[in-house]
Amino acid sequence: MVMAPKLLLSVDIGSTYTKGGLFALEGEELRLVGREVVPTTVDHLGRGFTQVREAVLSRHANGGHNTNSPFSGTKVTCPALSIPVYWSSSARGGLKIAAVGLTPDLTLSVARMAATSAGGKVVRAYSYELAPEDLEDLRAVEPDIILFTGGTDGGNSRVVLHNAARLAELVSPAIILYAGNRKVRDQVVDILRGREVATAANVMPEVGTIDIEPARDIIRHVFLDSIVDGKGLSSVVAEAGREPLPTPLAVFELVRTIAERVPGWGDFAVIDMGGATTDFYSHTKSFHGGDAIILRGLLEPTLKRTVEGDLGLRVSAEALFRSEASFLEGRLREAGTDLALLKGYVEEVSRRTEYLPGDDRGRRFDRLLAAACVRAAALRHAGIFQRVFTPQGGFLVQRGKDLRQVSRLVGSGGYLAGETSPDILLEACAPGADDPDTRHLVPEAPACYADVEYLIPLLGNLAADFPGAAARAAVAGLKPLGPHTN
Amino acid sequence: MDVPRIVLGVIGADCHSVGNKILDAYFTEAGFHVVNLGVMASQDEFLDAAVESNAGAILVSSLYGHGLIDCEGLRQKAIERGLDKILLYVGGNLVVGKTPFAEIEKKFKDMGFDRVFSPHDDLTEAVKLLRQDLEDRKR
Ligand code: B12
């Protein structure tokens, strides 16, 4: 007997587009059988979701012909109501997290890591004692979650208790997640009584030891329990019969799954560049040791995500123009173009966030901005070697994560998905600063790929239930770019 | 009673690691909770570790002859970071050339170190002094 393949629908509600993909599960493999994109319906996210869902399904029912425009609103009675729907959302800026830590380089830095790898966006970060003005500021940014850390287990409690008392005064609906010194956990919960509080294991139980998984897990649950409702997603939960993942978390989990399941993909990175942010995901061992190499600072995790809020092609174009000014200026000088022209372009596109360039000049400027985003995101994600001289010769001190073994680089998100050459992605291998004693540990000569069908978040949604199939389908769906790739 | 916490490390660009491992084992055995930063630790790393772990003392080693320069300002920085009461110990090869030890010891004490050790000092003695000093600080 031949069984009809099982169908699965995956939808990602992004800040600009809502994408849907229909997949057939054939034996152990997933195959894309149809996909649709509609503009995200910001006033009511559920509408875009329904549009995409119906468009994909009706096209499928009609043997691939789209007789039913997604915008017509005509209901299709699809035979497929039983098709399981998986979905994610990054709409309305995603999950906003404020991080509170003790010292900037230890607990605060680990708290940031926990927040970003849970798919959140760090909107504020505070170290040492919270001041009254910090509370004002915190109220104003309206975080969804305050990730409250500080102290090793049995370590500092003075500042932690002080901050707990401050946070108790804060007027904000944010959920407070305490993941600091375990010794005063009960006291902290007590001080915050009456507030919505969750607790997780200390993100840094001992100096230099990172334990972010428990906090990550709680952040994910908090997202499901309370964020969904506030963002008008509850109707989608009802329709899909399943809760969503934050998009970056879906991608994070897919990167993990690919690295673990697809031979040859143990060391790779994904760059997801959009209008507002550039996300960098890497899976590779952070520190390789060696006789004359000493690691200072935190040992970073094998799977890491960073989000750069000032690197983006539209909403963040002006911030990008400011933070990458010297790089942009250098490139323009080579091309014999005036910086003022780019400045004008940046001002325009940061207001018209849907703008797509219609002429050569616009396309050239977009390429330049994209190059700046990729380069800066890679330099910030990667660690450094610094040469220390002794009479015996050199020692190398490593800080941060070593990406040199990253052998594959995947471009995702609107701009990079459409790339046909590896040039922009290879900006991630830029040597960075000219200081001869500092070396940035960026990828060396990776093969480059484009996520042409925007499958990464869609398959990320399926990664928990169908890990092997989702990982293989994601890799199979990538388009190799340029001569390096095989 | 809480196990007393101490931060240990070799300061500056110094990569002599043998003594550091011995000190870690010795003080752990003697009942301290040792936060060991290993070699090539910066002043900030010592202080961050002490703040986060609420340590009572920082034990700095310097073997390669640049101890005075590397340790300069540590006390002031500790005060700035709210570690007003922390004990600062230093040891290793602090003497450069033929300078008498007493002279070096005075220099470190003037910089705010509580105790200064030569390579010939007995570690049992150091443990005893540390216990005593930590007790005194509590009062
Ligand atoms: C092995 C060694 C090296 C090895 C280190 C390998 C390694 N991974 O550790 C290598 C070859 C890399 C090396 C390099 C250098 N070394 Co070297 N090295 C030595 C040597 C021979 C032994 C050090 C050792 O391991 N001792 C054994 C341990 C157990 O003892 P310790 O380190 O002194 O620690 C004990 C005590 O001092 C004390 N202690 C230490 N800190 C503290 C702190 C407190 C609070 C307390 C209570 C006690 C305490 O307790 C420890 C445990 O018992 C010494 C000479 C010597 N005999 O000491 C030179 C020596 C330390 N090196 C020296 C020098 C100059 C260097 C170099 C600059 C170049 C060179 N000329 O070799 C480089 C520096 C590199 C760098 N950036 O750090 C000089 C330092 C001179 C000075 N201080 O004025 C020494 C003294 C040799 C000499 N006489 O010239 N070295």
Side-chain angles (χ1 to χ4, degrees):
Chain A
M1 190 182 79
V2 182
M3 289 239 301
K6 183 179 158 80
L7 292 174
L8 304 165
L9 179 65
S10 179
V11 176
D12 177 51
I13 306 177
S15 42
T16 325
Y17 293 105
T18 299
K19 291 147 258 175
L22 186 65
F23 296 89
L25 185 65
E26 296 165 342
E28 297 285 295
E29 303 307 320
L30 278 166
R31 185 171 57 83
L32 178 71
V33 291
R35 57 182 290 274
E36 288 291 340
V37 181
V38 304
T40 292
T41 45
V42 216
D43 55 317
H44 182 69
L45 299 172
R47 230 178 46 242
F49 176 89
T50 310
Q51 282 172 1
V52 147
R53 178 170 181 264
E54 286 176 358
V56 177
L57 294 178
S58 72
R59 190 193 276 264
H60 181 67
N62 289 301
H65 300 288
N66 196 2
T67 50
N68 192 315
S69 157
F71 304 104
S72 69
T74 323
K75 281 258 180 218
V76 229
T77 32
C78 48
L81 280 177
S82 57
I83 294 178
V85 184
Y86 293 77
W87 63 294
S88 49
S89 168
S90 63
R92 301 197 185 158
L95 191 59
K96 292 200 285 181
I97 300 180
V100 177
L102 180 49
T103 63
D105 289 344
L106 294 176
T107 43
L108 183 57
S109 158
V110 181
R112 283 173 183 277
M113 226 182 264
T116 48
S117 58
K121 182 170 162 195
V122 178
V123 290
R124 281 294 185 279
Y126 306 94
S127 56
Y128 291 102
E129 282 98 342
L130 285 167
E133 10 354 325
D134 295 338
L135 291 191
E136 277 307 309
D137 182 46
L138 200 47
R139 195 190 340 254
V141 295
E142 297 180 340
D144 298 306
I145 296 176
I146 298 170
L147 177 55
F148 175 20
T149 70
T152 57
D153 282 342
N156 190 296
S157 55
R158 190 181 59 80
V159 177
V160 174
L161 293 173
H162 170 274
N163 286 347
R166 272 277 145 79
L167 289 174
E169 297 161 16
L170 178 72
V171 187
S172 156
I175 291 164
I176 301 175
L177 169 54
Y178 179 70
N181 184 355
R182 193 185 51 190
K183 197 175 150 197
V184 290
R185 187 197 294 157
D186 292 348
Q187 258 173 289
V188 167
V189 171
D190 209 44
I191 294 171
L192 293 171
R193 192 189 305 255
R195 305 294 313 262
E196 241 192 291
V197 181
T199 63
N202 193 348
V203 291
M204 195 188 78
E206 179 61 277
V207 172
T209 305
I210 297 179
D211 184 20
I212 58 177
E213 286 301 318
R216 246 168 53 73
D217 210 44
I218 306 270
I219 293 173
R220 195 173 69 85
H221 282 102
V222 169
F223 173 83
L224 296 182
D225 292 348
S226 47
I227 312 302
V228 169
D229 228 25
K231 307 233 165 169
L233 295 174
S234 41
S235 71
V236 188
V237 176
E239 198 177 331
R242 186 180 314 219
E243 288 175 321
L245 288 173
T247 306
L249 186 65
V251 178
F252 192 84
E253 293 305 335
L254 183 67
V255 170
R256 184 202 306 275
T257 312
I258 290 174
E260 285 170 1
R261 304 250 176 179
V262 185
W265 284 75
D267 298 280
F268 83 108
V270 174
I271 304 176
D272 181 355
M273 184 178 66
T277 62
T278 300
D279 289 20
F280 198 115
Y281 304 79
S282 68
H283 188 287
T284 187
K285 210 172 132 204
S286 190
F287 176 62
H288 297 278
D291 267 353
I293 305 174
I294 289 158
L295 179 74
R296 293 304 329 171
L298 298 165
L299 174 63
E300 297 197 347
T302 297
L303 176 57
K304 171 181 164 184
R305 168 183 182 237
T306 42
V307 198
E308 308 299 345
D310 62 338
L311 305 178
L313 293 183
R314 292 294 177 264
V315 179
S316 305
E318 288 192 290
L320 170 71
F321 186 79
R322 280 192 299 272
S323 52
E324 293 305 308
S326 66
F327 167 77
L328 292 168
E329 206 176 341
R331 284 286 169 94
L332 286 175
R333 202 179 311 118
E334 283 167 27
T337 310
D338 190 9
L339 190 66
L341 287 176
L342 178 64
K343 188 160 193 287
Y345 182 74
V346 160
E347 278 163 10
E348 192 183 328
V349 299
S350 61
R351 281 192 301 273
R352 297 170 55 194
T353 56
E354 316 280 283
Y355 177 80
L356 289 175
D359 59 352
D360 247 19
R361 196 195 62 151
R363 279 190 286 272
R364 270 205 320 278
F365 281 158
D366 267 2
R367 279 195 86 67
L368 179 58
L369 296 176
C373 287
V374 167
R375 180 179 174 278
L379 287 171
R380 294 183 200 172
H381 189 92
I384 52 167
F385 273 165
Q386 272 167 323
R387 191 166 284 287
V388 176
F389 291 101
T390 69
Q392 251 128 30
F395 282 87
L396 292 174
V397 173
Q398 179 181 329
R399 286 169 209 281
K401 187 168 184 178
D402 186 353
L403 302 182
R404 289 174 304 157
Q405 312 260 323
V406 165
S407 59
R408 301 171 198 269
L409 209 52
V410 177
S412 177
Y415 193 90
L416 292 175
E419 277 294 288
T420 51
S421 101
D423 298 354
I424 299 276
L425 281 173
L426 289 174
E427 296 282 350
C429 311
D434 345 286
D435 172 7
D437 292 330
T438 301
R439 171 165 174 201
H440 293 265
L441 303 174
V442 290
E444 286 182 331
C448 295
Y449 302 82
D451 177 26
V452 272
E453 308 255 35
Y454 306 108
L455 292 185
I456 286 184
L458 297 181
L459 286 164
N461 291 336
L462 304 176
D465 284 2
F466 310 96
R472 287 188 295 274
V475 169
L478 297 174
K479 181 179 154 202
L481 302 177
H484 291 285
T485 316
N486 44 45
Chain B
M1 200 196 81
D2 271 359
V3 177
R5 287 157 187 272
I6 60 174
V7 175
L8 179 71
V10 185
I11 200 164
D14 193 338
C15 63
H16 291 91
S17 59
V18 182
N20 172 261
K21 289 189 179 122
I22 292 177
L23 291 170
D24 188 349
Y26 198 90
F27 279 87
T28 303
E29 186 65 28
F32 292 89
H33 178 119
V34 180
V35 175
N36 189 5
L37 303 174
V39 300
M40 294 185 121
S42 68
Q43 289 196 359
D44 281 324
E45 286 172 305
F46 277 102
L47 297 173
D48 282 350
V51 170
E52 296 275 6
S53 63
N54 196 29
I58 292 176
L59 273 62
V60 179
S61 294
S62 178
L63 289 309
Y64 71 159
H66 307 288
L68 271 173
I69 301 166
D70 289 344
C71 291
E72 208 181 310
L74 185 62
R75 173 59 77 189
Q76 284 93 317
K77 264 197 185 168
I79 294 168
E80 294 285 350
R81 298 276 210 100
L83 296 165
D84 334 25
K85 288 206 202 162
I86 198 150
L87 286 167
L88 297 181
Y89 280 21
V90 64
N93 292 312
L94 304 174
V95 173
V96 185
K98 294 198 169 65
T99 325
F101 180 73
E103 219 169 279
I104 296 290
E105 184 179 17
K106 182 171 183 313
K107 282 195 176 151
F108 276 98
K109 287 204 163 159
D110 288 348
M111 276 169 26
F113 281 82
D114 298 285
R115 295 199 186 269
V116 185
F117 298 86
S118 90
H120 314 294
D121 286 330
D122 188 357
L123 291 184
T124 24
E125 188 60 23
V127 165
K128 239 165 72 192
L129 289 168
L130 181 57
R131 281 225 182 84
Q132 190 54 53
D133 286 349
L134 285 171
E135 266 317 299
D136 292 351
R137 282 285 149 118
K138 277 193 198 150
R139 283 184 237 129

